[in-house]
Amino acid sequence: MSLTGTPFFLTSIALLIVAVVLPFALWGRIAGPPLVRGLGRLLMLLFAQVTAITVVFVMVNNANTLYDTWGELLGTDTHVTEARDLGPDGMGGRQVKNEPKQLQQFRPADDPRVGAGVQMTDLQGRISGVRGEVYVWLPPQYNDPAYRNQKFPVVELLAGYPGSAKSWMGSLHAAEQLMPLMQRGAVKPAILVAPRTNLLPGADTGCVNLPGKVNADSWLTVDVRKMIIDNFRAGDKPDSWALAGYSAGAHCATKLALAHPDRYRAAVAMSGYNDPALERDSLAGKDPKLRTRSNPLNILKSANAAGKPPRTALYVSGAAGDGYQAGLALRQYAQYPTTVDVRLIPANAGGHTTAVWEHQVPQVFRWLGTQLRA
């Protein structure tokens, strides 16, 4: 039975009803010595507690798309088939231009909550050694005959931790919100790509390459990127690509865009952070060298010191103590052509929740439209 499916949700509600009714029906009818009666009543109370917690968890999980499968919840799933040392460029001595096309079979998304028009594929990353699902949504103009010869910009959507690849489509309703805006020209058309970011059980990869563990950076910035270009009319230049994320995904979006200005032009970070150690399960945060190297602020400082400020535009939003200060720090060290647009989210907006990020989707994509071109 699927963790996120309707049958499990209805089953959990039915069990909760049974758990509530049982004590009323059987409390005084349990026979036997006092110890047996006491144990029976205790078990009924524990059953009621467990079922109540289960219903709450299922509701929260379904609303925020935190865990997709039982394996993710129980920490038994892994999406890493190998994790070779790929070197500083994350390519392992190979060149993307020399790699054969990776043509994929796409199917309608297997969860109706992501909305109409979302398709998915299972990708085996040839460079990264990562395998995982990738969700894709095409703008309304994509299949319009008037645009048949036009390429489109791409925005890679990164979930938080824990989080599902379909959270942007499901919980944030990105495609649903953007469809009418793109149809009437209020937002420029773009392809939305939501790849799996939770790759290891019980760990946040921090979107880094860590030999022997995971090559999350190469998965997102090489394998997923190439696959989209190979299968769709997507621009292949940095000016056509951006990243957008919330929470841990915001950290990843900023880090990857600053580290790879040859692949991405812009990044959106909602309620993120610079220091990966702020996520207690972060692999990068637990490794002193990786913690330093994967901090977006340090990436920016190093690029500036080398006389090569990245041609990267950042949009950073957050409340005080929840992303805003991280954005101010980046803006302080931004040198041309790096730009950082920082937005303060009111403290009473809703906290660190999908509701806050969902509300920002239209504005975020209006901003992206000023940065990207096909």
Side-chain angles (χ1 to χ4, degrees):
M1 189 179 294
S2 170
L3 175 64
T4 58
T6 301
F8 179 63
F9 179 51
L10 295 178
T11 299
S12 64
I13 292 177
L15 289 174
L16 177 59
I17 294 172
V18 171
V20 172
V21 172
L22 273 179
F24 289 99
L26 302 179
W27 192 270
R29 298 184 181 183
I30 300 177
L35 181 61
V36 173
R37 294 198 304 271
L39 181 60
R41 291 164 180 167
L42 177 61
L43 289 174
M44 286 192 292
L45 293 176
L46 290 175
F47 180 50
Q49 290 287 333
V50 170
T51 53
I53 292 171
T54 299
V55 169
V56 172
F57 164 77
V58 172
M59 293 175 64
V60 172
N61 187 57
N62 288 352
N64 296 280
T65 50
L66 301 175
Y67 300 97
D68 265 344
T69 66
W70 288 102
E72 287 183 5
L73 176 63
L74 300 175
T76 58
D77 274 2
T78 180
H79 295 267
V80 178
T81 58
E82 62 176 336
R84 297 178 293 113
D85 187 344
L86 299 178
D89 65 352
M91 290 296 301
R94 296 155 75 174
Q95 297 291 324
V96 172
K97 63 182 180 180
N98 297 331
E99 292 295 310
K101 284 191 174 184
Q102 185 150 3
L103 300 179
Q104 294 286 124
Q105 293 294 320
F106 285 81
R107 62 187 185 276
D110 55 11
D111 189 335
R113 291 176 302 167
V114 302
V118 179
Q119 52 190 312
M120 66 182 295
T121 190
D122 299 308
L123 176 65
Q124 174 64 59
R126 294 172 179 170
I127 302 294
S128 66
V130 170
R131 57 178 172 79
E133 70 274 23
V134 181
Y135 293 84
V136 177
W137 179 83
L138 302 174
Q141 291 85 351
Y142 191 89
N143 293 313
D144 185 332
Y147 292 80
R148 63 181 177 273
N149 296 318
Q150 180 173 320
K151 291 185 177 181
F152 292 83
V154 182
V155 182
E156 253 184 282
L157 305 173
L158 308 181
Y161 172 81
S164 164
K166 57 193 175 189
S167 60
W168 272 85
M169 309 294 189
S171 299
L172 272 62
H173 303 102
E176 183 181 334
Q177 292 192 70
L178 293 174
M179 172 69 87
L181 296 176
M182 290 183 183
Q183 285 176 328
R184 65 173 183 264
V187 169
K188 290 184 179 179
I191 298 172
L192 306 186
V193 179
R196 168 173 284 277
T197 55
N198 285 267
L199 306 176
L200 295 171
D204 169 29
T205 67
C207 299
V208 299
N209 282 358
L210 183 58
K213 274 283 189 179
V214 64
N215 287 317
D217 184 322
S218 296
W219 160 249
L220 296 169
T221 70
V222 179
D223 287 327
V224 171
R225 190 175 185 277
K226 175 175 168 39
M227 183 274 288
I228 295 298
I229 293 171
D230 288 346
N231 287 269
F232 299 96
R233 296 197 315 275
D236 59 357
K237 300 293 189 287
D239 281 357
S240 298
W241 281 76
L243 299 135
Y246 62 85
S247 191
H251 165 77
C252 284
T254 305
K255 179 190 87 73
L256 295 176
L258 290 172
H260 302 293
D262 59 328
R263 302 171 194 174
Y264 300 95
R265 173 71 180 95
V268 169
M270 298 186 291
S271 306
Y273 48 83
N274 290 329
D275 183 358
L278 292 177
E279 169 49 64
R280 65 179 184 178
D281 291 331
S282 170
L283 294 178
K286 294 176 180 178
D287 183 303
K289 291 183 179 179
L290 267 181
R291 180 181 179 183
T292 299
R293 291 204 308 265
S294 63
N295 185 319
L297 190 58
N298 292 334
I299 294 172
L300 183 57
K301 289 179 180 179
S302 296
N304 291 345
K308 297 179 180 179
R311 185 173 175 269
T312 306
L314 301 178
Y315 178 105
V316 183
S317 67
D322 189 23
Y324 181 65
Q325 282 76 14
L328 293 179
L330 290 166
R331 188 172 68 183
Q332 179 183 352
Y333 287 94
Q335 298 179 14
Y336 180 84
T338 309
T339 61
V340 183
D341 187 346
V342 184
R343 305 293 179 94
L344 177 63
I345 302 301
N348 61 355
H352 197 82
T353 63
T354 54
V356 171
W357 306 318
E358 177 186 2
H359 182 72
Q360 296 178 63
V361 168
Q363 176 58 34
V364 159
F365 275 84
R366 279 191 285 267
W367 178 85
L368 284 169
T370 67
Q371 307 298 323
L372 299 178
R373 57 183 178 84

